[in-house]
């Protein structure tokens, strides 16, 4: 049996450990966002390829065909460390993110990145040309330094109220090794600054502004939304990126480019079923017909959204029912 003095000593050691433990934990995160500190010996050169998969087969609902047709803005990419965020889900959009998501303007984003570069939080900024169709590729070369091994990018969905696709703080370096290749499917995001539901909605500012959120097949939960597909558990990828390490290391950033790479990239075409949507029935029409045989009345409805890709076909648009003409009722 332990003595009381021994028990008291053990108790004091346990209490002391509780008080000392917070002092032994470093302040702030031990590792930067999405990975450990990069200890690679030198920079890495990458080829970044953005691919749009926005087709009328994959996204048949309200697919924009003109004024303007479906297309992608210029791509804005930044290499940085964990002290900088180009954009972030779950927080209100910055002025730069708002201007880019609504108008495709990069001035504020570039200004913020340049200020962060003075503090060495940003390594370099890159842009590619826009893509004039929903399906296509754009590419640029990246030179990533170990101290700024995170990659963030944004591309605006055109037309749209304030929708974009992007990557937030993807780490291209794990410990002392550069990633050789990474492929990432992209989903649409809502910047939370415009309340439009459809691709071609007029300007309708959200006041107060909401947080940046991912758009899904059921959120926003409104039938008018262009991405609302209640039969799907998740949307097909609207775009993707591939980042591949290159054997050479350029001394400077490659010029703006927009290369089509048919031999390197296989285009994925998925077909999303779109069910027919019809209006409510109209009121019944007048009861017409001779009293000897009885009358007939009609009501109608019209198509709101035509089906596509083996979706549920439209039901009957006209219905009739037997009735007794009003004039015959009076005679009785």
């Amino acid at each position: 049996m332990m003595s009381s003095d021994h028990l008291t000593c053990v108790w004091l050691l346990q209490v002391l450990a509780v008080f000392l433990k917070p002092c032994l934990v470093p302040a702030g995160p031990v590792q930067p966002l999405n990975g450990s500190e990069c200890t690679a010996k030198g920079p890495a050169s990458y080829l970044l390829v953005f691919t749009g998969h926005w087709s009328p087969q994959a996204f048949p609902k309200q697919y924009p065909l003109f004024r303007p047709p479906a297309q992608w803005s210029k791509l804005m990419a930044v290499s940085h460390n964990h002290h900088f965020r180009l954009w972030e889900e779950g927080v209100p959009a910055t002025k730069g993110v708002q201007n880019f998501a609504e108008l495709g303007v990069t001035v504020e984003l570039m200004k913020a990145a340049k200020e962060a570069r003075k503090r060495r939080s940003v390594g370099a900024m890159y842009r590619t040309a826009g893509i004039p169709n929903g399906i296509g590729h754009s590419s640029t070369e990246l030179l990533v330094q170990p101290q700024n091994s995170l990659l963030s990018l944004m591309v605006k969905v055109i037309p749209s109220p304030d929708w974009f696709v992007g990557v937030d703080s993807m780490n291209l370096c794990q410990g002392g090794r550069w990633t050789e290749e990474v492929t990432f499917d992209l989903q649409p995001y809502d910047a939370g600054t415009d309340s439009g539901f459809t691709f071609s909605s007029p300007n309708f500012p959200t006041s107060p502004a909401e947080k940046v959120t991912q758009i899904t097949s059921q959120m926003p939960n409104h039938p008018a939304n262009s991405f609302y597909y209640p039969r799907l558990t998740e949307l097909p990828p609207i775009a993707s990126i591939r980042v591949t390490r290159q054997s050479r290391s350029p001394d400077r950033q490659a010029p703006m480019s927009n290369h089509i790479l048919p031999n390197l990239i296989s285009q994925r075409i998925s077909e999303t079923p779109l069910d027919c949507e019809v209006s409510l029935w109209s009121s019944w029409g007048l009861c017409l017909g001779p009293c000897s045989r009885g009358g007939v009345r009609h009501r109608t409805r019209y198509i709101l959204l035509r089906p596509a890709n083996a979706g549920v076909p439209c039901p009957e648009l006209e219905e009739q029912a037997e009735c007794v003409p009003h004039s015959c009722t009076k005679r009785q």
Side-chain angles (χ1 to χ4, degrees), residues 4-319:
S4 59
D5 291 342
H6 182 74
L7 290 174
T8 303
C9 183
V10 171
W11 178 81
L12 287 173
L13 287 174
Q14 291 175 340
V15 172
L16 187 62
V18 170
F19 281 99
L20 286 177
K21 188 174 181 180
C23 301
L24 299 175
V25 177
V30 178
Q31 298 177 336
L33 195 65
N34 284 2
S36 58
E37 197 75 45
C38 181
T39 58
K41 298 301 182 182
S45 177
Y46 286 93
L47 176 65
L48 166 64
V49 180
F50 172 85
T51 304
H53 305 294
W54 187 17
S55 68
Q57 291 77 29
F59 299 91
K61 188 174 183 180
Q62 303 165 1
Y63 188 82
L65 298 173
F66 56 89
R67 297 183 181 179
Q71 57 189 278
W72 300 98
S73 75
K74 66 187 72 172
L75 177 146
M76 168 85 178
V78 177
S79 63
H80 59 94
N81 62 27
H82 63 284
H83 294 296
F84 176 83
R85 300 296 280 271
L86 181 66
W87 68 277
E88 184 179 358
E89 183 180 4
V91 300
T94 62
K95 188 65 176 177
V97 170
Q98 178 181 356
N99 288 345
F100 184 78
E102 292 185 9
L103 306 172
V105 177
T106 62
V107 175
E108 291 292 334
L109 284 179
M110 294 290 288
K111 181 179 178 181
K114 288 178 180 177
E115 287 297 320
R117 188 164 60 179
K118 295 178 182 177
R119 303 189 299 270
R120 299 185 179 181
S121 298
V122 164
M125 295 161 282
Y126 307 89
R127 288 187 298 177
T128 72
I131 303 173
N133 304 295
I135 299 176
H137 315 283
S138 64
S139 64
T140 189
E141 282 191 60
L142 314 174
L143 183 62
V144 185
Q145 301 288 345
Q147 63 270 28
N148 292 298
S149 62
L150 304 181
L151 177 67
S152 295
L153 61 88
M154 294 179 68
V155 187
K156 174 176 170 53
V157 177
I158 301 176
S160 74
D162 60 341
W163 303 339
F164 67 95
V165 298
V167 172
D168 175 27
S169 305
M170 178 175 63
N171 203 340
L172 295 175
C173 178
Q174 299 296 330
R177 297 175 62 88
W178 290 106
T179 301
E180 292 299 320
E181 183 175 289
V182 60
T183 301
F184 204 83
D185 287 334
L186 303 179
Q187 298 290 346
Y189 283 86
D190 188 325
T193 59
D194 192 292
S195 298
F197 269 126
T198 66
F199 293 118
S200 302
S201 293
N203 187 38
F204 185 25
T206 303
S207 183
E210 299 176 352
K211 297 176 181 179
V212 177
T213 55
Q214 182 178 338
I215 300 173
T216 70
S217 59
Q218 299 180 44
M219 287 296 293
N221 189 14
H222 195 291
N225 189 271
S226 294
F227 287 111
Y228 185 69
Y229 295 94
R231 287 179 56 181
L232 300 182
T233 56
E234 60 182 21
L235 291 172
I238 195 172
S240 64
I241 62 162
R242 177 180 292 179
V243 184
T244 308
R245 190 178 179 189
Q246 305 295 290
S247 57
R248 63 188 182 87
S249 296
D251 294 331
R252 60 185 178 86
Q253 177 185 341
M256 185 181 296
S257 57
N258 190 18
H259 304 301
I260 303 300
L261 308 170
N263 296 328
L264 299 180
I265 301 174
S266 59
Q267 188 61 254
R268 295 172 294 176
I269 302 295
S270 58
E271 292 193 350
T272 299
L274 184 64
D275 298 339
C276 178
E277 295 181 11
V278 296
S279 67
L280 298 175
W281 286 109
S282 66
S283 300
W284 285 105
L286 295 175
C287 184
L288 302 175
C291 295
S292 58
R293 297 199 307 267
V296 176
R297 59 180 181 172
H298 295 79
R299 65 177 182 175
T300 60
R301 55 187 174 184
Y302 56 90
I303 296 174
L304 296 173
L305 188 65
R306 295 190 178 277
N309 304 329
V312 175
C314 294
E316 293 293 332
L317 301 178
E318 186 175 348
E319 188 176 61

